Amino acid sequence: MVGQLGNPGPVTPEQLTAAAAGELLTLQQAAYITEARAHRNFDLPPLMDTLDHIRAAFADPAITIWGIRDGGRLVASVRMWVDGSIGEVRRLVVAPDRQGEGLGTTLLLAVEEATAPEVTTFRLCTGERSAGPLYLYGKLGYRETHRSPEADYHLVHLEKPRVRITG
Ligand SMILES: CC(C)(COP(=O)(O)OP(=O)(O)OC[C@H]1O[C@@H](n2cnc3c(N)ncnc32)[C@H](O)[C@@H]1OP(=O)(O)O)[C@@H](O)C(=O)NCCC(=O)NCCS
């Protein structure tokens, strides 16, 4: 899929391999700093990920890791963890200097579409102070199901049914 973005350049989502683990770690750490500040918690799980954690995610057959490269540079990524009919979206990140261009939206929609047809429900969660991601997920059809306590804030859990286009 190729999106029409404000910033020129190829934006085709691709499945990443373990060779990208190092640059993914760097991207993740840069992107999640804003969320850490918003939650006054620099121990957010994505910021605690090590290279070994990311390599383990690449090795997990239930997880596919996707990314968008622009001129070779990894500028966005997301993981999809599949368990039966559930597809769980994790670690959606866009490089700080490339946020607001539609990359997050393009990547998430492309990955939903590429996920195994057995998946009928997509789930994800984010911190209650993550106003931007909550807005984005709402716009893409995710609805809150419940909240769970986490440190001194709550995680907001959202899901959406898969929409099948027939014809
Ligand atoms: C959340 C994130 C992936 C969004 O990626 P993005 O490429 O900037 O998002 P898009 O450009 O597709 O934005 C889609 C819409 O959401 C809004 N939005 C997204 N992130 C936002 C933010 N952090 N603050 C304010 N608005 C935001 C955009 O303004 C846009 O609104 P519009 O369609 O009305 O113009 C990116 O901001 C990021 O990496 N954040 C840090 C990591 C994170 O919080 N990940 C999600 C955790 S669950």
Side-chain angles (χ1 to χ4, degrees):
M1 176 197 278
V2 178
Q4 299 295 312
L5 305 183
N7 199 316
V11 292
T12 308
E14 60 184 80
Q15 200 171 326
L16 301 178
T17 67
E23 48 183 340
L24 183 51
L25 178 67
T26 306
L27 172 64
Q28 212 173 277
Q29 291 186 339
Y32 270 101
I33 286 293
T34 46
E35 301 316 296
R37 286 210 183 96
H39 291 87
R40 289 185 215 90
N41 180 354
F42 286 83
D43 293 339
L44 296 179
L47 284 173
M48 300 304 283
D49 271 353
T50 64
L51 197 54
D52 282 346
H53 289 132
I54 292 183
R55 286 184 175 138
F58 274 111
D60 186 336
I63 297 175
T64 46
I65 306 184
W66 298 81
I68 292 177
R69 291 187 182 279
D70 188 358
R73 177 190 173 206
L74 186 65
V75 291
S77 177
V78 70
R79 300 179 193 182
M80 180 67 78
W81 176 80
V82 171
D83 182 19
S85 63
I86 303 297
E88 197 173 294
V89 177
R90 298 175 177 172
R91 308 278 196 274
L92 176 65
V93 286
V94 172
D97 63 311
R98 301 298 303 267
Q99 292 178 7
E101 297 177 17
L103 292 172
T105 299
T106 297
L107 183 58
L108 184 50
L109 290 177
V111 169
E112 286 175 2
E113 199 175 318
T115 297
E118 293 75 24
V119 170
T120 54
T121 303
F122 293 110
R123 284 185 185 155
L124 50 78
C125 70
T126 191
E128 64 182 338
R129 295 173 201 149
S130 297
L134 283 168
Y135 170 81
L136 186 164
Y137 297 141
K139 194 170 176 182
L140 296 185
Y142 287 83
R143 298 290 173 257
E144 180 175 340
T145 55
H146 63 286
R147 295 186 179 213
S148 60
E150 178 81 17
D152 66 339
Y153 58 92
H154 282 81
L155 283 176
V156 183
H157 299 259
L158 306 105
E159 70 176 39
K160 80 169 185 184
R162 186 175 205 155
V163 178
R164 293 186 186 287
I165 300 164
T166 52

